Amino acid sequence: MTPRVCLQYSITYALCPKFVKSSSSGRHLSVSVSSNTQKNFPSPVQKRKMDTMHGFLVPTYTLHDFDDGEECKVVRMIFQMSGVPYEFKHVHRDDYILEDYPFYALPALDMNDRKYGSVLSICRHLAWRYNLSGKTAYDDAQVDDIAEKVFEVRMKIKNWIDHIEHAADHACDEDCTENTAARLLTDTLFPCLERVLKAAPSSWLVGHTMTWVDLLVACLVNPVIYHRPKLLQDFPLLYLHNEKVAHHDDLVGFLYHVRTRKFQDKK
C-alpha cells in the first residue's frame, strides 16, 4: 500500500529569520515547502511562536492623539502611503490622563495592545515595516539625521505654527513671535534642507525614492507655504519638494494644495 504523502510547511522564522524588503508590501518572511511521509502538527511551543510572529507580521494599530491630530499627521500619512488600516482614537484634552501613555505624551500608537510613544520612533518603525525607510544603512542614517533636526525645529516653532493655522482660536504667548520663528526657518533649517536637496541624486531628500523624512518635512513646510509663502522665495528646491509631496495621489487631503511656481535662476 502506498503511504500517504503530506506537505509540511516550514516557516523560516522557526529557525533562522530572514527578512526581505518588498517594493510594495514591506518586509516579509520567506517560506519554504517540503514533502514528508509523516503528519506534522505544531507543538504548543511552536504554535505560540507562530502566533507571536503572526502578530508581528500582521499587527493591529490604534493611533491616539488630540482632536486636531496635527502632531500625528506624518504617522497617518505613512499609513496612507502604505495602504495599512488603522483606527484613530480622538483624545479630548479634558479627559487626557498622562499615565495612560508612554512618556506621558501624545501621539501614541497601540500596536497589538502595546503602546509606543514618540513621533520619530513610531515613524521609524512603520517606515521600516512598510518600505519608507532608507535603502541602505547610510541612507537610513541620513534620514534620521534630517528628521531629528526638522522635528527639533518643529517643536520650537509649534506655537507659531498653531498661531498662523488657527489664529482666531489660538491663545498666543511669547513663543508665537513671527520674527523668531521666521529667522529659525530661513536662517537655519531651510538653507540646510535646500543644500540637501541640491546634493541629492533625485528630487527626494534621500536616495531615489520617497522616505518618511520627506513626509515629515512636508508637514512642517506646507503650512508655511500656505500662510507665509514669501519665506520660501529663496528656497526653490524645497518649495518644489513640497509641491511634489502635496500633489502625490495617495496623499490628497493631507496637505494644502501647492500652486505651481516658477523660480528665476540666480546669477
Side-chain angles (χ1 to χ4, degrees), residues 23-211:
S23 60
S24 58
S25 57
R27 299 175 189 255
H28 59 84
L29 296 176
S30 62
V31 179
S32 60
V33 181
S34 61
S35 61
N36 198 327
T37 56
Q38 298 179 351
K39 288 186 176 181
N40 257 288
F41 297 99
S43 68
V45 173
Q46 290 173 323
K47 189 175 187 305
R48 282 197 299 273
K49 288 182 178 179
M50 291 172 68
D51 290 342
T52 300
M53 187 55 70
H54 181 268
F56 176 81
L57 291 173
V58 192
T60 57
Y61 297 107
T62 302
L63 185 60
H64 303 253
D65 202 4
F66 296 121
D67 293 342
D68 54 23
E70 286 302 316
E71 295 305 319
C72 72
K73 181 183 287 186
V74 63
V75 179
R76 292 185 286 122
M77 290 169 72
I78 292 174
F79 280 131
Q80 182 71 16
M81 285 291 302
S82 308
V84 176
Y86 69 99
E87 178 185 355
F88 185 79
K89 185 174 181 180
H90 295 273
V91 179
H92 298 287
R93 293 184 186 274
D94 293 340
D95 301 328
Y96 179 45
I97 301 174
L98 292 175
E99 289 77 6
D100 287 347
Y101 303 100
F103 309 110
Y104 303 154
L106 286 176
L109 180 67
D110 256 340
M111 188 172 69
N112 292 347
D113 299 322
R114 294 185 179 184
K115 285 188 175 71
Y116 299 87
S118 170
V119 171
L120 296 186
S121 295
I122 293 170
C123 288
R124 286 188 189 101
H125 180 78
L126 293 177
W128 179 88
R129 280 181 176 274
Y130 301 116
N131 207 27
L132 283 169
S133 55
K135 303 306 178 190
T136 66
Y138 175 81
D139 285 352
D140 242 358
Q142 191 177 8
V143 166
D144 284 346
D145 196 20
I146 298 170
E148 293 285 351
K149 186 61 179 178
V150 170
F151 197 72
E152 176 188 340
V153 172
R154 172 73 174 88
M155 290 297 98
K156 287 181 178 179
I157 65 171
K158 179 181 184 301
N159 283 345
W160 178 73
I161 293 288
D162 289 343
H163 169 70
I164 65 175
E165 285 271 76
H166 314 288
D169 303 318
H170 178 64
C172 290
D173 56 25
E174 65 276 6
D175 293 330
C176 296
T177 306
E178 179 90 15
N179 291 338
T180 302
R183 281 201 306 271
L184 188 58
L185 293 174
T186 58
D187 294 352
T188 305
L189 183 63
F190 287 177
C192 290
L193 294 175
E194 189 76 7
R195 285 197 298 271
V196 169
L197 285 166
K198 188 173 182 179
S202 71
S203 55
W204 301 115
L205 284 159
V206 179
H208 294 275
T209 59
M210 178 189 286
T211 62

Side-chain angles (χ1 to χ4, degrees), residues 187-247:
D187 294 352
T188 305
L189 183 63
F190 287 177
C192 290
L193 294 175
E194 189 76 7
R195 285 197 298 271
V196 169
L197 285 166
K198 188 173 182 179
S202 71
S203 55
W204 301 115
L205 284 159
V206 179
H208 294 275
T209 59
M210 178 189 286
T211 62
W212 68 272
V213 79
D214 291 296
L215 304 180
L216 185 70
V217 168
C219 286
L220 171 62
V221 175
N222 188 253
V224 179
I225 289 178
Y226 185 80
H227 295 286
R228 301 290 190 272
K230 290 184 178 180
L231 295 182
L232 273 293
Q233 63 186 2
D234 293 328
F235 309 102
L237 296 180
L238 186 57
Y239 185 96
L240 295 173
H241 172 270
N242 201 262
E243 178 186 346
K244 185 174 183 178
V245 177
H247 294 181

Side-chain angles (χ1 to χ4, degrees), residues 8 148 235 251 267:
Q8 177 188 5
E148 293 285 351
F235 309 102
L251 298 175
K267 295 182 180 180

